Amino acid sequence: MTPELGHYALILALFVAFFQSTIPMWGAARNNIYAMNFAGHAAMAQFLCLLVAFASLTQAFVTSDFSVANVVANSHSLQPVLYKVSAVWGNHEGSLLLWVVILAGFGALVHFFGGNLPPNLKSRTLAVQAMIAVGFLLFLLLTSNPFARLDPAPFEGRSLNPLLQDPGLAFHPPMLYIGYVGLSIAYSFAVAALIEGKVDAAWARWVRPWTLLAWSFLTAGIMLGSWWAYYELGWGGFWYWDPVENASFMPWLVATALLHSAIVVEKRDTLKTWTILLAIIAFSLSLIGTFLVRSGILTSVHAFANDPERGVFILLLLVVAIGGSLTLYAWRAPQLKGGGLFRPISREGGLILNNLLLTSACATVFLGTLYPLFVEVLGGDRVSVGAPYFNATFVPLIIPLLLALVVGPKLAWKRGDIWAAMAGLRLAFFITVIISLGVGILIWQKSAVAIIGLSIALLMMLNSVGDIYTRAGFRKSGFIKGLKRLIRLPRAFWGMTLAHLGVAFLVAGATGATLLTYEKIVALKPGQVTQLSYFNIRFDGANDVTGPNYTALRGHYSAISNDGEIIAKFTPERRRYVGGGQETTEAGIKSTFWDDIYVVIGDRGEDGSYVARLYHKPLAPWLWWGSFLMVSGGFISLSDRSLRVGAPKRIGDNAVIKNKIRNA
Amino acid sequence: MKKTISIIFIIFLLMPAFLLITPFNNALAVQPDEILSDSKLEKRAREISKGLRCLVCQNQSIDDSNADLAKDLRIIVRERLLVGDSDKQVEEYLIDRYGNYVLLEPPVNSQTMILWLGPLIILSFGMVAVAIWYRGIKKTNNKNSDDRNEDDNKNDINIVKLNADEQLRLDTILKE
Amino acid sequence: MRSLRLYAILPLVLFIGLTAYFLAGLWGAQNKGNRFIPSAMVNKPVPDFNLPSFNQNFPALATADLKGKTQIVNFFASWCVPCLAEHPLITKLSKRDDVEINGIAYSDTGKNIAKWLNKHGNPYDRVGVDAGRRIGIDWGVTGVPETYIINKGGVIIYKHGGPLRIDVINDEIIPLLEEQAE
C-alpha cells in the first residue's frame, strides 16, 4: 500500500510546485501580497509531500518490500539496516528523489528563515526554486519512477553493490546533494534579482548564508567520497580526476569564488554582474554534473544510468534552466548599475584575483573532463585525460591562489598597502624558510616538489596563528585579557581563519600523501617481520571470517617497536559478497596525528606466504583534518549573527503597508 | 629591503614551474614476482606504467590497478625494457595496439593543442577581461565624480576652494 | 554599454555550443554502451601468432589461416556471460558462405573451451586458445567478447567491442561481408 502513497505524494508535489512557480511570480509583478505569500506556504506543502514520498520509499527498503523494483535491484534481506536505508539513495531513481526532497527542503528553509526578505524577492526566489522542482519531478515521474512495481514480486533482492555497503559511502550522497542542491538557492536569488532588475548589498547579504551552507555540505560530501576511496580502494589514492569527481569539484570551485565575490558586493557594492553570473554558473555546474553522471555520455565507474533517453530529458532541463537564466542575464545584466572604484592593490583586488584563479581552475577542470567528448564528437583520435594533465595545469593555478590567500585579507578596502601587508608576514616567512630548509634536506631526494607544497602550507598555518595572535591583542593586553578577547571575536573571523587554516592542512596532507609515500610490496610468512621506513611490521597470520553478507580473508599484522612491543594492529580483509559475488578490499589503517600506516593483504603464495602491500603515508591524516576544519569554519561563519540578520525590511516594498499609509 | 622581499616573493610564485617538469609519484599495484632485479629498469618500468591507462578501469594507471589486463600490460612493459626498448618505444608498442587512448597523459600534438594551451588561454582571457572592466569603471567613476563636482560646487557654499599650491599637493598625495 | 552587452552574451553563446556537443555526444552514446573500446588495430595487418586448438582433433588457428577469404575472428571465453548471449548470432553468421568464422578463446583453458563448445555448439571453423592473453594484447583486446573482420588480404577492416547485436549484424557486418565478397 505505502509505495502507492509515496507515488501519489510525488504527483501531488508536482502540482504544488507548478502553482508555486506561477502564482507568486505573477504576484510579484502585480505587487499582490497574497499571491506573493502563497510562495512560502506552497514551499512548505511541497516539502511535506516529498517527505512523505521519501519516507514511503525508505519504508519499502527497510521492510524489504520486493514488490518494488527499486528495492529488488538494490537490497537484500540479509543486508544490514544501515545499508538498506542508504540503498534508498544508492541508485538513480532514489537519489533523484533525494535531490527533489532536498530542493524542496531548501525552499521551506527560505520561507522559515527568510522572514525579513522583501516579499518580491522572496516570492520570485521561491517561484524559481519551484520551476526547478517541476522539471525534476517530471523527470522522476515520467522516466525514473522509484515506486515502479514488479508483479510477481521476486523472493529476494539483488543486493546493493558491496562497494557502496560502507559507512563513509552511506553518508556521502546526502551531504553532496545538500551541497549541490543548496546552490540552487543562490541561483534562484540571482534569477529573482535579474527579474527585479536590482542587485544591492542587501541581496549579497541574503545570498551569502545560503551559499555558505551549501558550500560547507559540498565540502563535507566531497571529503567523504575522497576518504572512502582512500580506505576502500586499497591504493591509498584519494583523488583520481574521474569525470564524476570533477563534476562535484567544479561547483565547489565556483561556490568558493561566489562566497568571496559576494563579500565584495556586500561591502563595496561592486562586482555585481559578475557575482550574479557566478551564482548562476555554480548551480548550472551542479546541473551539468547531474547530466554527465546520468546520461551515459561519459564512461565512469560512478555513473548510474547509461540511458541516453534519460540523457535527452536532462539536457532539456539544462537548456531551460541554464539557457533561460543566461538569456535573462544577457538581457538584464548590463542594466545593473556598477559601483565604487578601488586601487588594483586592495582587498577588492585580492578578491578579484581569487575569483580569477578559481574560475580559471574550474574552466581547466571543465576542459580536461569534457575534452575526450569534444574530440570524439569531432571524430578525432580518442585520447584520455587523467591525473598527469590535471597535475600539470590545475596545480600551477592553485599556488598563486594560496599565496593571495595569505596576503589578501591583510589589504585594506579601496586602497591597500602591500608592503605593510607583507611586512606583517616577515616573521612567518622567516620561520617558513628555516623549517623548509630543514625539511628539504630530509626529503629532497624523495621529492623536491613536495618542499613547495609543504612550505606554502606552513606559511599559511603560521599566518593564521599570527592573525589570531594579533586580533586577540596578546601583545598589547597580556595573556588573560587576550584570551578573553579571543573568545569574543566575531564568529565570522573564526570561520574564515579556521577555513583558511583547513586549506593549509589540506595542502600539506595532499603533498604528503601524494609525494612522500613510502611503499613496500613483499610476500610474508606468518611470524616474519619487514621494515617500512622507520617501522617494523610483522605478519601474524591470516584466517577466514564471515560477515553478515560476506565471507572474507582477514590478515593480522602488527607494528612493533625495536623492543618488540606492539604499537599497533592491523586487520586488512579481502571480502566476497553473497548475491553478486563481488570482491572488495578493506585496508588496515593506523592513523596518528602525523601519518598513516596502511596495510593491504594480497594473494596467497604457494609456500603459505601472503603478499602484503604496506604504505607509510606522512601527513595523510591532514587531508581529513583540513577538510574538517574547512567545514567547521563554514558552519561557524554561518552561526554569526550578522550573516543571519540581513538587511532591515524596507517599508516601501511591502504593498500592504503602502496601502495602509495611503488609507490612513 | 622592499626589493628583496619582492624578488623572493616572485621566486615563490615561479616555483609552480617546477611542477611541470617533475613527475608526480603514486602508489603501486606491482606484485613481488613482477619486480625486475635490475633496479634501474624497474624504476623506468614504474615511471612508464604510471603514464599508461588501465583500459578496463576508470582513470587508473596500470601501476594502480588489480585488473588482469593491467597486470599483463605491466609485464609487457618490463619485457620490452629487458629486450632493450627505450621508454618511447615501449609506449609506441602499446599505442600500436591500443591507440593514444592508452596514454594517461594526452600527447602533445596539433590535435591536443587546445587541451594544453587551453588553461593558459583561459587565464589570459580572464586577466584581459578584468583589465578592461577595471578601465571601464575607472572611466565611469571619473565621469561621475566630474559631473557631481560641477553640480555640488555651484550650490554648496561650504566647499573649501583650494588654491593652486594646495591643489597640487592634494593631487600628489592622492596619486600615491 | 556595448562592450558589457558583448560580455553578457558570451556565457549564453558558450552554453549553446556546449549543448550542441552534448546532443552529439548523446547520439553517439546510443550505440556505445558502457566502456570505450579502442580499435587501433583496424586497417593494420593481422598480428603474427600461432595458437593451439582446444583438443587434437579440431583445427587450430594461426596468422596464415586468416587470408584468401573474408574472415571473422571472435574473441570469446567459457567464463564470459555476454559471449553466451551472442553465441546464437555467431552461429547464424557461421552459416554464411561468404565468410569463415574463427574463434580465439581468451584467458581460458582447452578443457573448459571443449566443455563449453560441446554444451552450446561449435560454430567455428578454427579455434585458438590464448591462455596467457598475450595474443589478445597484440590484437588490442581489452575484454571479451570482441569481434574482428579481416579481408582477403589479411588486413583487419572492422572491430566490434562487446557482444554482437542483431542491429550491428544487419547494419554493419552483413553489408561489409557482402562488399568484401565482390
Side-chain angles (χ1 to χ4, degrees):
Chain A
M1 195 279 279
T2 16
E4 261 69 53
L5 183 64
H7 196 179
Y8 176 70
L10 209 54
I11 300 175
L12 195 58
L14 174 61
F15 276 93
V16 174
F18 176 72
F19 288 118
Q20 185 183 331
S21 62
T22 46
I23 295 178
M25 197 60 94
W26 174 86
R30 297 303 190 91
N31 261 327
N32 181 323
I33 191 69
Y34 301 107
M36 288 196 279
N37 283 342
F38 176 74
H41 302 303
M44 296 296 271
Q46 195 199 131
F47 181 50
L48 277 167
C49 289
L50 288 171
L51 269 183
V52 168
F54 190 76
S56 137
L57 187 62
T58 308
Q59 201 217 22
F61 268 90
V62 169
T63 58
S64 289
D65 180 352
F66 291 129
S67 71
V68 178
N70 204 352
V71 180
V72 173
N74 298 291
S75 189
H76 192 275
S77 46
L78 291 178
Q79 207 159 285
V81 176
L82 173 63
Y83 302 130
K84 283 183 178 164
V85 171
S86 73
V88 173
W89 55 74
N91 60 81
H92 168 73
E93 294 84 355
S95 63
L96 266 179
L97 183 59
L98 183 64
W99 226 97
V100 290
V101 170
I102 296 176
L103 188 67
F106 269 99
L109 276 178
V110 169
H111 171 65
F112 209 66
F113 286 107
N116 53 6
L117 279 170
N120 299 62
L121 183 62
K122 178 175 163 187
S123 54
R124 286 198 173 109
T125 302
L126 287 175
V128 174
Q129 192 82 344
M131 287 183 208
I132 304 171
V134 166
F136 274 88
L137 284 167
L138 278 173
F139 182 54
L140 261 174
L141 286 167
L142 294 178
T143 74
S144 321
N145 185 3
F147 298 105
R149 296 274 225 172
L150 284 178
D151 183 29
F155 263 131
E156 187 57 87
R158 277 186 265 143
S159 99
L160 184 65
N161 184 339
L163 279 180
L164 301 179
Q165 294 190 35
D166 176 282
L169 222 51
F171 293 107
H172 160 70
M175 296 258 184
L176 207 59
Y177 285 14
I178 295 180
Y180 273 154
V181 179
L183 289 176
S184 67
I185 299 281
Y187 169 91
S188 302
F189 265 115
V191 172
L194 280 175
I195 295 176
E196 207 161 332
K198 182 176 58 186
V199 179
D200 53 15
W203 178 89
R205 228 124 166 242
W206 283 308
V207 166
R208 271 185 74 199
W210 298 103
T211 313
L212 202 48
L213 184 66
W215 179 90
S216 303
F217 274 101
L218 193 54
T219 310
I222 295 177
M223 173 208 129
L224 275 175
S226 191
W227 185 49
W228 174 84
Y230 179 72
Y231 68 74
E232 177 65 31
L233 296 181
W235 309 107
F238 55 90
W239 191 259
Y240 294 93
W241 296 106
D242 181 79
V244 173
E245 286 175 321
N246 298 346
S248 67
F249 193 43
M250 289 188 277
W252 186 90
L253 288 166
V254 175
T256 309
L258 177 61
L259 275 178
H260 290 84
S261 84
I263 300 176
V264 182
V265 177
E266 189 186 329
K267 291 274 171 27
R268 297 280 293 137
D269 206 35
T270 184
L271 271 195
K272 289 188 239 193
T273 41
W274 172 244
T275 305
I276 292 270
L277 186 61
L278 276 184
I280 295 178
I281 290 182
F283 184 59
S284 302
L285 284 170
S286 290
L287 289 175
I288 292 178
T290 305
F291 172 73
L292 291 177
V293 175
R294 296 170 194 268
S295 66
I297 202 173
L298 285 178
T299 57
S300 164
V301 71
H302 276 92
F304 280 122
N306 290 318
D307 194 339
E309 277 175 19
R310 283 172 171 164
V312 172
F313 198 111
I314 305 181
L315 189 57
L316 203 60
L317 280 176
L318 255 64
V319 166
V320 172
I322 307 178
S325 54
L326 287 179
T327 309
L328 186 62
Y329 179 80
W331 173 36
R332 291 292 220 144
Q335 297 165 11
L336 294 173
K337 295 215 172 18
L341 189 57
F342 52 88
R343 288 296 181 84
I345 305 285
S346 58
R347 185 86 62 93
E348 293 95 322
L351 288 169
I352 290 182
L353 181 64
N354 157 302
N355 265 230
L356 179 65
L357 290 168
L358 278 171
T359 33
S360 299
C362 177
T364 302
V365 175
F366 191 80
L367 179 63
T369 308
L370 288 179
Y371 184 77
L373 173 68
F374 293 157
V375 165
E376 209 175 309
V377 163
L378 292 176
D381 185 23
R382 172 96 176 205
V383 290
S384 78
V385 179
Y389 173 79
F390 292 105
N391 289 336
T393 54
F394 179 80
V395 178
L397 284 170
I398 292 304
I399 293 188
L401 179 68
L402 296 175
L403 294 172
L405 189 157
V406 170
V407 175
K410 298 189 187 331
L411 296 172
W413 291 102
K414 246 179 137 168
R415 192 186 357 211
D417 184 346
I418 189 140
W419 302 120
M422 303 238 280
L425 279 171
R426 257 187 321 218
L427 185 60
F429 195 72
F430 186 65
I431 299 177
T432 302
V433 170
I434 302 265
I435 297 186
S436 298
L437 283 173
V439 171
I441 293 176
L442 283 173
I443 67 173
W444 75 270
Q445 269 181 328
K446 176 79 178 170
S447 167
V449 172
I451 303 176
I452 301 175
L454 293 179
S455 320
I456 293 181
L458 183 60
L459 182 64
M460 290 168 71
M461 290 181 202
L462 291 171
N463 177 52
S464 291
V465 170
D467 270 350
I468 297 176
Y469 184 82
T470 317
R471 277 297 278 265
F474 281 123
R475 172 172 282 179
K476 275 188 283 182
S477 339
F479 191 63
I480 304 292
K481 277 226 184 96
L483 219 57
K484 281 201 189 138
R485 189 176 301 138
L486 204 63
I487 298 175
R488 272 191 259 113
L489 280 173
R491 295 196 194 161
F493 166 77
W494 277 113
M496 177 194 90
T497 310
L498 280 178
H500 287 175
L501 189 61
V503 176
F505 273 92
L506 187 69
V507 169
T511 307
T514 316
L515 298 172
L516 298 175
T517 301
Y518 288 88
E519 68 264 292
K520 193 163 195 180
I521 302 166
V522 64
L524 292 172
K525 291 211 186 85
Q528 270 186 304
V529 180
T530 185
Q531 194 174 16
L532 173 75
S533 19
Y534 43 84
F535 299 98
N536 300 316
I537 310 284
R538 183 182 65 205
F539 178 45
D540 296 323
N543 61 309
D544 291 317
V545 298
T546 315
N549 50 350
Y550 62 85
T551 58
L553 171 73
R554 179 179 293 169
H556 300 270
Y557 296 82
S558 320
I560 48 179
S561 70
N562 287 328
D563 315 319
E565 278 195 42
I566 297 184
I567 309 174
K569 282 184 163 220
F570 306 86
T571 49
E573 288 180 9
R574 287 224 331 259
R575 295 183 184 170
R576 168 167 258 131
Y577 280 80
V578 306
Q582 267 162 302
E583 269 201 26
T584 65
T585 52
E586 309 287 319
I589 307 180
K590 165 86 165 82
S591 294
T592 66
F593 179 70
W594 289 100
D595 49 26
D596 273 351
I597 304 176
Y598 190 103
V599 179
V600 178
I601 186 167
D603 292 317
R604 187 174 195 277
E606 282 165 357
D607 55 352
S609 65
Y610 284 87
V611 175
R613 288 202 309 276
L614 311 164
Y615 303 93
H616 172 224
K617 294 184 154 295
L619 299 182
W622 288 15
L623 283 164
W624 324 121
W625 287 121
S627 311
F628 178 73
L629 280 174
M630 285 167 77
V631 176
S632 310
F635 281 118
I636 291 177
S637 267
L638 206 52
S639 68
D640 188 316
R641 270 210 87 223
S642 71
L643 273 179
R644 283 180 301 155
V645 165
K649 207 194 274 209
R650 276 203 286 280
I651 293 188
D653 287 350
N654 192 321
V656 173
I657 299 188
K658 247 193 199 150
N659 269 321
K660 282 212 176 119
I661 295 176
R662 204 185 303 139
N663 298 334
Chain B
M1 181 55 179
K2 283 183 183 180
K3 268 221 183 104
T4 341
I5 295 181
S6 55
I7 292 176
I8 296 178
F9 197 66
I10 292 177
I11 294 179
F12 227 35
L13 281 176
L14 286 177
M15 284 203 282
F18 282 124
L19 294 170
L20 295 172
I21 35 179
T22 329
F24 276 59
N25 199 357
N26 225 319
L28 293 175
V30 179
Q31 300 292 320
D33 52 348
E34 292 170 25
I35 300 180
L36 295 175
S37 43
D38 181 342
S39 64
K40 268 211 214 106
L41 279 182
E42 178 62 20
K43 195 156 190 266
R44 278 172 66 197
R46 276 154 60 174
E47 285 307 314
I48 297 173
S49 301
K50 276 170 214 151
L52 292 173
R53 174 183 267 272
C54 163
L55 297 156
V56 294
C57 322
Q58 300 308 328
N59 266 30
Q60 283 171 296
S61 71
I62 61 174
D63 208 56
D64 244 0
S65 159
N66 245 345
D68 278 342
L69 184 61
K71 186 184 167 90
D72 293 343
L73 293 177
R74 282 197 305 267
I75 294 176
I76 288 189
V77 165
R78 285 164 176 77
E79 278 181 8
R80 300 308 304 177
L81 284 175
L82 283 172
V83 164
D85 273 3
S86 71
D87 288 3
K88 195 89 206 313
Q89 284 172 316
V90 174
E91 285 179 3
E92 289 289 325
Y93 184 89
L94 289 173
I95 295 176
D96 277 343
R97 286 152 180 77
Y98 291 104
N100 275 322
Y101 184 65
V102 78
L103 295 176
L104 264 178
E105 183 164 10
V108 185
N109 57 38
S110 54
Q111 266 195 342
T112 58
M113 260 308 123
I114 192 173
L115 181 65
W116 288 107
L117 290 182
L120 205 58
I121 296 175
I122 293 168
L123 186 64
S124 317
F125 177 75
M127 291 200 284
V128 164
V130 170
I132 294 180
W133 171 80
Y134 185 70
R135 263 218 327 238
I137 56 168
K138 225 167 148 185
K139 242 187 268 174
T140 358
N141 262 287
N142 285 342
K143 197 162 83 71
N144 285 347
S145 61
D146 284 344
D147 290 343
R148 231 181 287 126
N149 281 344
E150 284 180 11
D151 298 329
D152 286 347
N153 288 350
K154 279 199 215 119
N155 303 328
D156 192 350
I157 50 174
N158 288 328
I159 281 264
V160 175
K161 299 256 183 206
L162 298 171
N163 63 29
D165 253 28
E166 287 166 302
Q167 186 69 41
L168 188 59
R169 276 166 57 202
L170 183 62
D171 285 338
T172 338
I173 296 173
L174 283 178
K175 272 213 197 74
E176 277 177 26
Chain C
M1 267 237 272
R2 238 179 304 135
S3 60
L4 190 53
R5 177 128 293 182
L6 212 61
Y7 279 113
I9 281 210
L10 191 57
L12 181 63
V13 169
L14 288 173
F15 177 67
I16 294 176
L18 188 66
T19 309
Y21 272 115
F22 282 158
L23 263 173
L26 279 179
W27 194 268
Q30 297 268 4
N31 307 317
K32 214 181 350 135
N34 202 349
R35 194 164 51 86
F36 171 70
I37 295 175
S39 50
M41 288 303 289
V42 174
N43 294 326
K44 293 202 182 122
V46 168
D48 257 337
F49 72 98
N50 193 336
L51 285 174
S53 173
F54 58 89
N55 70 19
Q56 292 152 322
N57 304 325
F58 199 80
L61 185 63
T63 313
D65 300 316
L66 294 173
K67 50 168 57 114
K69 195 169 178 187
T70 312
Q71 304 283 342
I72 283 183
V73 170
N74 173 246
F75 279 81
F76 71 107
S78 60
W79 47 262
C80 158
V81 174
C83 302
L84 190 54
E86 72 168 3
H87 198 71
L89 293 174
I90 298 278
T91 310
K92 219 162 151 211
L93 277 175
S94 71
K95 303 217 165 71
R96 294 178 69 93
D97 293 325
D98 53 6
V99 66
E100 287 180 358
I101 313 276
N102 308 278
I104 296 187
Y106 181 79
S107 193
D108 216 336
T109 63
K111 215 167 73 171
N112 289 341
I113 290 298
K115 253 198 281 186
W116 194 82
L117 289 173
N118 209 8
K119 184 169 178 193
H120 302 292
N122 184 352
Y124 303 111
D125 295 316
R126 305 177 199 84
V127 170
V129 179
D130 179 18
R133 299 185 296 271
R134 188 50 67 83
I135 303 304
I137 289 183
D138 280 339
W139 283 71
V141 165
T142 57
V144 278
E146 288 185 8
T147 306
Y148 296 79
I149 301 182
I150 298 110
N151 70 11
K152 301 176 188 159
V155 173
I156 301 175
I157 56 174
Y158 172 88
K159 167 174 174 170
H160 178 82
L164 292 174
R165 300 186 309 268
I166 196 74
D167 57 293
V168 172
I169 292 194
N170 289 336
D171 299 337
E172 292 171 17
I173 296 187
I174 291 185
L176 205 53
L177 293 179
E178 289 174 349
E179 193 189 313
Q180 291 298 310
E182 288 154 16

